Amino acid sequence: MELGNSKHAQHRDSELARETREYVEAGHSSRAEPWRETAPTDGGGPQDEVPAAAEGVGGTPPGMDGDDVAGRSDLARLLDPGEFPADAQRLAATAARHQADDATVAALRALPPDRRYRTVSEVWTALGHRTEDDTRRF
């Protein structure tokens, strides 16, 4: 019994081996036309330029900056989605259970006790932070 590839005929196996060998040794596909090869860059092209930090760039919604997005994301990691709607005490207890720092737990406990929050964004706004600019939404 001969061990090997029984998926292709012997001549097709030879063709595949040749194509693979050319690709590995030449550093490019054996099927690509020479005129389709990409030219090497010197690293100074437009794809290498990094845009200056600006509001609304890189996933930052209008009305928020990078710190707002990161802060709200950190808060969301501390609050379980199943906890909503919740009051301040329940949110503070959940955050404490997720090892939130003392300042965060204290800020959540300081929220108005008679209000129920439906989302992390509502909690974030109640804590005095900025959220998306509702006037620019679709």
Side-chain angles (χ1 to χ4, degrees), residues 73-135:
S73 179
D74 291 341
L75 180 64
R77 286 186 196 99
L78 299 171
L79 304 175
D80 295 326
E83 296 289 325
F84 292 99
D87 61 9
Q89 295 307 311
R90 185 171 178 180
L91 294 172
T94 300
R97 194 171 58 246
H98 288 275
Q99 283 81 39
D101 59 81
D102 293 338
T104 301
V105 174
L108 290 170
R109 283 194 179 117
L111 291 172
D114 57 340
R115 179 158 181 222
R116 293 184 60 79
Y117 301 92
R118 295 177 298 158
T119 65
V120 172
S121 289
E122 285 183 11
V123 176
W124 186 248
T125 301
L127 290 171
H129 301 288
R130 298 184 302 171
T131 59
E132 292 91 346
D133 181 8
D134 292 331
T135 61

Side-chain angles (χ1 to χ4, degrees), residues 10-120:
Q10 179 65 32
H11 71 282
R12 183 64 182 140
D13 285 342
S14 298
E15 286 178 24
L16 290 172
R18 180 187 54 81
E19 289 175 4
T20 303
R21 184 177 58 249
E22 288 177 6
Y23 175 73
V24 171
E25 292 174 0
H28 60 81
S29 172
S30 62
R31 295 181 181 192
E33 300 293 333
W35 55 270
R36 289 187 179 210
E37 294 292 326
T38 58
T41 64
D42 61 358
Q47 70 276 9
D48 296 324
E49 295 175 9
V50 178
E55 189 172 330
V57 175
T60 306
M64 297 178 77
D65 62 20
D67 291 336
D68 290 322
V69 173
R72 185 175 65 180
S73 179
D74 291 341
L75 180 64
R77 286 186 196 99
L78 299 171
L79 304 175
D80 295 326
E83 296 289 325
F84 292 99
D87 61 9
Q89 295 307 311
R90 185 171 178 180
L91 294 172
T94 300
R97 194 171 58 246
H98 288 275
Q99 283 81 39
D101 59 81
D102 293 338
T104 301
V105 174
L108 290 170
R109 283 194 179 117
L111 291 172
D114 57 340
R115 179 158 181 222
R116 293 184 60 79
Y117 301 92
R118 295 177 298 158
T119 65
V120 172

